[in-house]
Amino acid sequence: MSGFPILTVMLAVPAIAAVACLFLNAQGARWLALAATFVDLALGILLWANFQTGDGAAQWQFVEHVRLFGIGGAEFAWALGIDGFALLLIALSVFLMPICIGASWLSIEKRVPEYMAAFLATEVLMIGTFAAQDLMLFYVFFEGGLIPMFLIIGIWGGANRIYASYKFFLYTLLGSLLMLIAIIYMILTTGTTSIPVLMQHDFPAHVQTWLWLAFFASFAVKMPMWPVHTWLPDAHVQAPTAGSVILAGVLLKLGGYGFLRFSLPMFPEASAQFIWLVFLLSAVAVVYTSLVALVQSDMKKLIAYSSVAHMAIVTFGLFALNAQGIEGAMMVMLGHGVVSGALFLCVGVIYDRLHTREIDRYGGLAINMPRYAVLFLLFTMASVGLPGTSNFIGEFLSLAGLYQVSTLYALLGTTGIILGAAYMLYLYRRVAFGDLTKDDVKAMPDLDLREFAMLGALAAVTLWMGVYPESFMKPMRGDVEKLVARLERAAPAGDSAPTVGKPAPAAHHEAAPAAHGEAH
Amino acid sequence: MSPIYFIVFLPLIAAAVAGLSNKAFGSTFPKLVTTVSLFAACALSWPIFLQYLGGHAEPTISPVFTWMLSGSMQVDWALRVDSLTAVMLVVVTSVSFLVHLYSWGYMSEEPDQPRFFAYLSLFTFAMLMLVTANNLVQMFFGWEGVGLASYLLIGFWFRKPSANAAAIKAFVVNRVGDLGFMLGIFGTFLVFGTIDIPTILAAAPNMHGSTIGFLGARFDTMTVLCLLLFVGAMGKSAQLGLHTWLPDAMEGPTPVSALIHAATMVTAGVFMVCRMSPMFEQSAVALGVVTFVGAATCFFAATVGTTQTDIKRVIAYSTCSQLGYMFFAAGVGAYGAAMFHLFTHAFFKALLFLGAGSVIHAMHHEQDMRYYGGLWKKIPVTYWTMMFGTLAITGVGIPGIFGNTAFGFAGFHSKDAIIEASYAAGQTSAFWVGVFVALLTSFYSWRLVFLTFHGKPRWAGSEHIQHAVHDHHGHGHDDHAHGQEAAEDEGAGHTPTADEILHDHGHEGTAGYHPHESPIVMLIPLIVLTLGAIFAGFVFHGFFIEPSAGETYWHGAVAFNEHLMHAMHEVPVWVKLSATIAMLSGLAIAYGAYIVSPSFPAKFAEAFRPLYLFSLNKWYFDELYNFLFVRPAFAIGRLFWKQGDEATIDRFGPNGVAKVVQLGGGVTAKLQSGYVYAYAFIMLIGLTAALTWVIAR
């Protein structure tokens, strides 16, 4: 692959296609968008296939560096390059994009060329965010990624779309500004914009604190963490199906990626210092948003709230600052990306038929839509974290990592598996089970080929990640090791601290177990 | 290639084939695929078990591939076989095969049979993954897999609201247990640095005196780990506190109750405690808790079982109670006896459930014993097989007190072993609970037999029977699947005057209904299981609980306590007789109350009304949990949503900012027409430009 600027090409293909879409009619734009996203998917597979892992593999691969301009001693560059984390998130993005285009095939009828252009622009910006090695470049992609999303919600959204996009914007604005200030400070003090260099830079502890907080303001909103999560339910409810898929699937991962790329490696001491804050907010999120999800009557709101709870497991895992926690967090991000995307698609499928998201308007779909019911069940179970599906791996590892730091938070985090089962199964029951009594629901046809292909692909990946996660964990293993090594100096001691035991005294095994009585 | 691969994966493949097979193929193909696969798995399992019985086999581990590799945590898919697994292999595959076969008859009118058989096979796969697990995480995979299958099968008739509610309840209550199991796995990994079971068990004896922090306090390490794991076992095995899902699980088709909610899945908790027994041996506190919970469940469920009128619920509570026996056997250190009871119980309880299914089949889906009676002549094969099942569960046999070899039905050997072991272990209170529950077991089991098969027919009172008669089908069959039947039938069993109806003469009579014996495909499993109920105890007790034979058989697979097993043989004669005396007393009371003087139960219920209601309403656990957990969860959820998100966060957050912007900038119209974000963007871009300029200068 040497010499071929594959990352730039992956950015250029959807970018050119986006512009071209604007000059086509609706049908042409659809096909072009689909073709472009498939090209990017193929390039993504190529990227993955050529990514080196194991000993001796470089941390940063497919590196491209073109100097753009210098200001005040700092060099700004078109610097791209990926490590394992970035690779996996790019793979997730390019995998979800053709599905998003497919999901919009019929349901979007107005301004189709512009819509497709917006989606392709989102793809460019997402890949750019994950591939950027230059701090300013990252910032542009990271914040820019929201613009097409505002448009998608604001133009093609539901009845209350303006309020939703306003809220989405307002939340992100504050965080973005603080992060920008922090970025400028970092550039000024270190004289570099290179992310890999900054990841090795040791900022003084008191500086780390402020920088960490500034970045946290941005990432916490993107995550979203409690209590800055209230934009998400509204954004999801108003967004068109594909908008929700990409929002839940990839955009929610920007926060986690930010923590992984910036907060943890650049500010290890501050990260350790603020563990209590992250854990506290995460614990509240797990319990609070799960309970809120339980009482929702709007399907999309329910899944949106469940996303907040799942993302709390990500922050739990990341800030456990150990290998299981961080790998688990990444696996939750990937798994949730696939599964919540699939769940929003499942909602979209029936929304397209009945044009309502009210759970109570459905019921008994297992009777007339059996194929849909099976796939929906699979994604429900994956969301619940059933072993054998993608989400289990992540949740299990994150919580295992968390337990090593705090048994109390591990207990609180694990309550998510009970509450998650309650709200998801309750949702599934009301939609798919029960008798088929409503006439308009009876008339709903089962999945067509297009829908089946999209959900089938997502189902296959869900099971693949659950049964053989090694495919996904291998590329990031080296990066996790490096990160954990960097965090080691700051990582907290856990509250378990088991003391060494000694062999049991020669057991006489007299009948009474009272013989063991001195266990304390 | 080791046969274990076929045993485990054939059911999975069969489930996939059956589940994905096109409707156009009809239902025979999926039924055939699953049943034949299970037969093959069963046929391959018995030789393995016999090999271990022969005492020649070493534990084997058949690798599949790596599952997870994270830091120092390595989790492999692998299939472990040792003497403990071997017991479970034959139990699971045998009962599963017989249940598959039985379902050909029982489910024959069901339109959705491929789905049913696919679920059954999927369950079997998950259960086999559980029992062959060589590490805790694969065990958890199987654990959750059987939970999924259980959820799907309880809710098989998904049109019925009560079935859906029961399915969710089963899953969610089990998840409470899983919370403990997961924390137990985390803790075990933290302490031992591995989740590999043999490594953990080898290291466990060196943990004496070790302490660990948990939730801010310090405890004995092994006690914490064992109790966390045991919470998981309590959920899966429906122990007191987490038992509420099991009776409701009877909403599932009866073959499911026999396979999952009697013979196999619910015993997973017992299996887990036995598998981890070298760990439990290190904590007297944990063992004490296991004993206590087991004994409490044993007692609780038996008391409830004495007043239920739904035939399946009686057997469900009976299962719950017998699981309690298994746990307190494990708690006193008699793991061999626990596994032995698990083994024999699988046969006779599956038999009782399938027999009950046969009765229900004959009685046109009527499950209320108040509308049975006098059936023994009509369905003689069912009657006699259930009779043997009852002899087995009540523990009929001749104790070995005169120097003779003890001989009896399956439950006689295993349950008496538990009761004697608890005495020998010095757990006197557990012993007395065991004896008293033996009386209750005998009472509710014989009550079931007498109400169902003896006395005069009381069929006329049943809506199901009336329905059948008036539909002129008259064969105990009609076009209705269970699914379409009204849920309110379920309510019939819950009226406070339950036993009184028995003696309302208006309900007596056959209403012209003619029950028919079940087809041969249902009777074969009954007969095979009857053989198990008769002989399983006598034939196998040596390997499970005899001091030296047991040591040879278990070969370290469980913490087999040879001394305890010796001591068990040396208990006083009155101890050996106690269970038998209790059994005979229970029989006598049941005979007196339901045959000799049928008006007695109603009078008794009247005289001790509060006690009666307490038992009939299952100690009010459901009401308590609804009050404590379910309703508050919804109420708090609504509170967080409306008062938290909307009235606080949004009000002072984005909406508050919007108000300020409106007042300050006078952009009300713009805000409403949606341009605000455009303005804000321009602001952001401007700010960026300004800052860049500042730096660049």
Side-chain angles (χ1 to χ4, degrees):
Chain A
M1 294 302 294
S2 62
F4 179 64
I6 186 168
L7 292 170
T8 302
V9 175
M10 284 181 81
L11 292 171
V13 170
I16 294 166
V19 176
C21 271
L22 297 173
F23 299 98
L24 293 173
N25 63 13
Q27 201 59 13
R30 287 188 185 118
W31 282 107
L32 179 64
L34 191 67
T37 51
F38 265 114
V39 169
D40 253 24
L41 175 59
L43 288 167
I45 293 168
L46 201 64
L47 196 69
W48 196 344
N50 285 285
F51 190 82
Q52 306 291 316
T53 56
D55 294 334
Q59 181 178 10
W60 300 99
Q61 302 181 26
F62 309 102
V63 176
E64 299 170 32
H65 193 279
V66 178
R67 187 181 173 277
L68 293 177
F69 54 92
I71 306 173
E75 298 274 319
F76 292 85
W78 178 258
L80 301 178
I82 56 168
D83 63 355
F85 299 134
L87 171 79
L88 291 165
L89 289 166
I90 290 175
L92 177 68
S93 312
V94 296
F95 170 65
L96 288 176
M97 278 312 291
I99 292 171
C100 286
I101 304 296
S104 318
W105 205 256
L106 300 174
S107 57
I108 300 298
E109 287 160 350
K110 66 168 189 179
R111 297 192 184 181
V112 176
E114 289 87 347
Y115 178 88
M116 294 297 165
F119 261 88
L120 291 166
T122 309
E123 178 165 29
V124 175
L125 296 163
M126 287 181 319
I127 297 172
T129 306
F130 298 131
Q133 281 199 320
D134 183 281
L135 203 50
M136 284 313 288
L137 195 61
F138 169 82
Y139 183 75
V140 170
F141 281 131
F142 186 77
E143 294 302 337
L146 302 176
I147 299 172
M149 204 61 214
F150 293 134
L151 299 177
I152 289 165
I153 296 172
I155 298 173
W156 293 276
N160 208 4
R161 56 186 184 266
I162 303 301
Y163 176 70
S165 51
Y166 154 74
K167 211 166 164 184
F168 181 25
F169 170 74
L170 204 66
Y171 267 115
T172 28
L173 177 70
L174 179 72
S176 301
L177 285 178
L178 291 174
M179 187 171 86
L180 179 65
I181 294 165
I183 285 177
I184 289 165
Y185 176 85
M186 284 160 72
I187 295 171
L188 288 180
T189 51
T190 61
T192 179
T193 59
S194 162
I195 293 174
V197 173
L198 286 165
M199 281 168 69
Q200 304 297 326
H201 186 83
D202 292 324
F203 288 97
H206 68 280
V207 175
Q208 279 190 27
T209 303
W210 292 106
L211 293 177
W212 189 93
L213 283 171
F215 275 86
F216 180 73
S218 176
F219 299 150
V221 170
K222 293 275 187 339
M223 209 64 218
M225 294 177 75
W226 188 88
V228 288
H229 65 283
T230 63
W231 61 270
L232 187 71
D234 284 306
H236 270 307
V237 165
Q238 299 304 327
T241 300
S244 286
V245 172
I246 214 70
L247 184 59
V250 185
L251 293 182
L252 289 196
K253 277 71 210 177
L254 292 178
Y257 178 74
F259 283 129
L260 206 51
R261 178 65 72 231
F262 297 92
S263 305
L264 296 184
M266 294 185 193
F267 323 123
E269 276 78 14
S271 295
Q273 184 190 342
F274 284 111
I275 284 178
W276 66 272
L277 176 66
V278 175
F279 281 4
L280 188 67
L281 297 183
S282 305
V284 171
V286 168
V287 177
Y288 179 111
T289 54
S290 294
L291 287 172
V292 175
L294 196 60
V295 296
Q296 296 306 310
S297 56
D298 179 307
M299 286 185 229
K300 275 188 145 183
K301 259 197 173 161
L302 194 155
I303 299 169
Y305 275 109
S306 85
S307 293
V308 181
H310 282 121
M311 289 301 108
I313 304 292
V314 173
T315 42
F316 265 141
L318 288 174
F319 283 84
L321 308 185
N322 53 37
Q324 284 85 30
I326 292 169
E327 284 183 0
M330 263 304 285
M331 290 304 290
V332 174
M333 286 202 263
L334 298 174
H336 178 265
V338 173
V339 172
S340 69
L343 285 171
F344 280 116
L345 216 50
C346 283
V347 174
V349 163
I350 52 177
Y351 181 81
D352 287 348
R353 286 161 173 69
L354 210 59
H355 299 286
T356 177
R357 293 179 310 267
E358 278 299 309
I359 298 169
D360 292 339
R361 290 280 290 106
Y362 297 89
L365 289 182
I367 297 164
N368 59 334
M369 299 178 71
R371 286 200 290 184
Y372 171 78
V374 169
L375 286 165
F376 187 23
L377 179 72
L378 173 72
F379 297 123
T380 300
M381 284 298 159
S383 173
V384 163
L386 197 81
T389 65
S390 53
N391 289 23
F392 171 71
I393 308 293
E395 282 181 19
F396 178 80
L397 289 175
S398 307
L399 294 169
L402 175 60
Y403 189 95
Q404 294 165 43
V405 180
S406 165
T407 48
L408 173 65
Y409 282 113
L411 174 70
L412 292 172
T414 314
T415 57
I417 70 165
I418 304 171
L419 297 169
Y423 63 71
M424 284 311 292
L425 295 184
Y426 187 42
L427 167 69
Y428 189 80
R429 170 195 172 171
R430 286 178 290 169
V431 173
F433 289 160
D435 211 346
L436 193 59
T437 51
K438 304 172 184 93
D439 287 329
D440 48 357
V441 179
K442 271 183 197 162
M444 288 164 65
D446 205 349
L447 299 177
D448 62 25
L449 196 62
R450 174 182 64 92
E451 293 162 337
F452 190 72
M454 296 189 300
L455 290 174
L458 289 162
V461 173
T462 303
L463 291 174
W464 176 18
M465 284 171 101
V467 174
Y468 191 68
E470 182 62 9
S471 310
F472 303 87
M473 292 171 75
K474 200 173 169 191
M476 63 168 144
R477 188 160 294 129
D479 301 302
V480 172
E481 278 168 17
K482 289 186 191 79
L483 184 54
V484 171
R486 179 148 173 84
L487 290 167
E488 207 168 8
R489 63 178 196 226
D495 66 347
S496 291
T499 57
V500 180
K502 54 185 186 298
H508 290 295
H509 265 312
E510 276 143 22
H516 304 285
E518 64 277 19
H520 272 268
Chain B
M1 202 171 178
S2 165
I4 190 66
Y5 291 111
F6 294 98
I7 295 172
V8 174
F9 291 111
L10 272 178
L12 175 66
I13 295 165
V17 170
L20 301 175
S21 75
N22 199 307
K23 280 241 165 81
F25 291 174
S27 60
T28 308
F29 171 71
K31 280 156 71 179
L32 207 58
V33 169
T34 49
T35 311
V36 169
S37 307
L38 259 299
F39 178 74
C42 180
L44 289 167
S45 297
W46 276 94
I48 295 179
F49 182 50
L50 294 176
Q51 228 180 332
Y52 281 95
L53 287 180
H56 305 300
E58 287 294 312
T60 59
I61 295 164
S62 310
V64 183
F65 53 80
T66 294
W67 186 10
M68 279 186 246
L69 191 57
S70 174
S72 58
M73 182 189 281
Q74 178 167 359
V75 187
D76 288 323
W77 294 110
L79 307 176
R80 174 187 179 83
V81 181
D82 59 12
S83 46
L84 181 62
T85 303
V87 176
M88 296 305 287
L89 283 182
V90 293
V91 166
V92 172
T93 56
S94 306
V95 177
S96 179
F97 165 64
L98 293 172
V99 164
H100 273 76
L101 195 62
Y102 180 91
S103 303
W104 281 65
Y106 191 83
M107 301 298 281
S108 60
E109 293 160 31
E110 183 59 45
D112 231 357
Q113 291 178 65
R115 185 163 64 90
F116 182 76
F117 281 81
Y119 288 169
L120 281 186
S121 292
L122 176 71
F123 164 79
T124 312
F125 161 72
M127 189 70 203
L128 290 169
M129 287 299 277
L130 193 166
V131 300
T132 57
N134 195 43
N135 63 62
L136 287 170
V137 190
Q138 184 182 324
M139 193 189 274
F140 191 69
F141 167 84
W143 198 263
E144 294 286 280
V146 293
L148 168 68
S150 165
Y151 163 79
L152 292 171
L153 284 164
I154 293 168
F156 180 74
W157 287 310
F158 59 77
R159 293 168 195 245
K160 239 171 123 179
S162 56
N164 290 327
I168 293 183
K169 187 172 175 184
F171 200 95
V172 173
V173 174
N174 265 292
R175 278 265 156 151
V176 177
D178 295 345
L179 171 102
F181 195 172
M182 275 182 89
L183 292 176
I185 297 175
F186 301 152
T188 308
F189 174 70
L190 179 112
V191 171
F192 295 101
T194 176
I195 42 83
D196 185 53
I197 293 171
T199 318
I200 294 166
L201 298 186
N206 297 324
M207 294 305 294
H208 189 77
S210 163
T211 64
I212 193 169
F214 185 71
L215 304 181
R218 290 197 77 81
F219 303 96
D220 180 66
T221 303
M222 298 314 285
T223 301
V224 169
L225 300 184
C226 290
L227 288 181
L228 286 173
L229 292 174
F230 181 62
V231 171
M234 283 175 67
K236 196 59 70 190
S237 293
Q239 293 299 288
L240 190 61
L242 297 179
H243 67 281
T244 54
W245 64 273
L246 183 60
D248 290 25
M250 298 301 121
E251 288 290 338
T254 308
V256 172
S257 313
L259 174 61
I260 300 185
H261 305 120
T264 57
M265 181 185 86
V266 289
T267 61
V270 180
F271 167 80
M272 185 242 260
V273 171
C274 289
R275 170 64 85 205
M276 306 312 285
S277 52
M279 255 175 100
F280 280 83
E281 280 294 300
Q282 301 310 313
S283 167
V285 176
L287 284 177
V289 172
V290 174
T291 312
F292 177 78
V293 170
T297 309
C298 189
F299 173 73
F300 152 78
T303 61
V304 176
T306 55
T307 56
Q308 300 303 305
T309 57
D310 181 312
I311 187 169
K312 286 183 71 181
R313 281 185 187 250
V314 174
I315 308 178
Y317 277 106
S318 159
T319 303
C320 197
S321 174
Q322 300 300 312
L323 290 165
Y325 269 121
M326 296 175 210
F327 274 112
F328 88 65
V332 301
Y335 303 101
M339 284 306 295
F340 187 34
H341 198 52
L342 187 162
F343 179 75
T344 60
H345 175 259
F347 293 108
F348 62 70
K349 190 50 69 64
L351 169 61
L352 287 171
F353 259 123
L354 294 183
S358 181
V359 172
I360 294 166
H361 193 76
M363 291 302 281
H364 201 83
H365 309 310
E366 179 56 73
Q367 301 192 3
D368 195 324
M369 297 190 298
R370 288 172 297 174
Y371 305 123
Y372 290 170
L375 279 168
W376 73 275
K377 274 189 214 153
K378 304 287 180 186
I379 45 174
V381 180
T382 305
Y383 172 65
W384 283 108
T385 51
M386 280 193 84
M387 179 60 86
F388 282 114
T390 306
L391 292 171
I393 190 176
T394 55
V396 173
I398 304 157
I401 47 170
F402 310 111
N404 59 322
T405 313
F407 176 81
F409 294 94
F412 165 74
H413 292 276
S414 55
K415 195 199 293 168
D416 284 21
I418 291 173
I419 290 171
E420 287 163 22
S422 61
Y423 183 85
Q427 298 281 15
T428 324
S429 43
F431 164 75
W432 283 113
V433 171
V435 172
F436 182 61
V437 173
L439 185 153
L440 292 176
T441 307
S442 173
F443 172 75
Y444 66 65
S445 301
W446 288 113
R447 172 176 175 263
L448 185 153
V449 170
F450 295 150
L451 280 178
T452 305
F453 295 105
H454 295 271
K456 292 202 181 81
R458 300 178 297 272
W459 315 336
S462 162
E463 283 174 31
H464 293 263
I465 297 294
Q466 294 289 358
H467 194 201
V469 173
H470 293 298
D471 272 3
H472 303 294
H473 284 272
H475 289 279
H477 307 289
D478 70 0
D479 299 334
H480 291 260
H482 284 65
Q484 277 89 349
E485 286 182 5
E488 60 263 28
D489 291 340
E490 189 51 33
H494 302 287
T495 45
T497 51
D499 269 356
E500 292 165 9
I501 293 182
L502 289 174
H503 313 294
D504 178 350
H505 289 271
H507 290 286
E508 287 198 2
T510 63
Y513 182 73
H514 301 287
H516 282 237
E517 184 61 280
S518 297
I520 187 78
V521 74
M522 288 167 68
L523 298 180
I524 291 170
L526 288 179
I527 292 163
V528 174
L529 288 168
T530 301
L531 296 177
I534 298 173
F535 298 111
F538 180 67
V539 173
F540 294 104
H541 77 277
F543 304 103
F544 282 92
I545 52 173
E546 286 298 320
S548 60
E551 185 70 47
T552 315
Y553 175 71
W554 290 115
H555 201 58
V558 299
F560 188 77
N561 188 338
E562 214 180 321
H563 302 278
L564 180 60
M565 295 295 118
H566 265 300
M568 211 175 88
H569 282 280
E570 284 145 26
V571 295
V573 170
W574 67 269
V575 172
K576 287 190 181 177
L577 280 174
S578 58
T580 305
I581 292 167
M583 179 270 293
L584 291 172
S585 316
L587 169 61
I589 297 169
Y591 188 79
Y594 292 95
I595 301 284
V596 177
S597 169
S599 61
F600 177 72
K603 284 183 204 151
F604 184 84
E606 200 52 48
F608 297 93
R609 193 159 178 78
L611 205 61
Y612 172 70
L613 287 180
F614 191 59
S615 161
L616 185 70
N617 291 296
K618 305 153 251 172
W619 293 26
Y620 297 99
F621 265 100
D622 283 331
E623 288 77 4
L624 183 70
Y625 284 1
N626 272 334
F627 175 74
L628 283 182
F629 303 115
V630 181
R631 268 182 277 157
F634 281 89
I636 295 169
R638 221 163 275 126
L639 180 82
F640 282 162
W641 180 28
K642 292 293 178 190
Q643 300 303 318
D645 271 22
E646 291 185 353
T648 310
I649 297 174
D650 279 354
R651 184 171 156 213
F652 296 108
N655 298 355
V657 174
K659 279 218 179 69
V660 172
V661 171
Q662 281 175 33
L663 292 175
V667 289
T668 317
K670 305 281 188 193
L671 176 72
Q672 271 149 11
S673 60
Y675 286 106
V676 68
Y677 58 87
Y679 277 96
F681 255 115
I682 293 163
M683 196 171 82
L684 178 66
I685 291 161
L687 207 68
T688 314
L691 279 166
T692 314
W693 184 76
V694 168
I695 303 162
R697 195 163 56 92

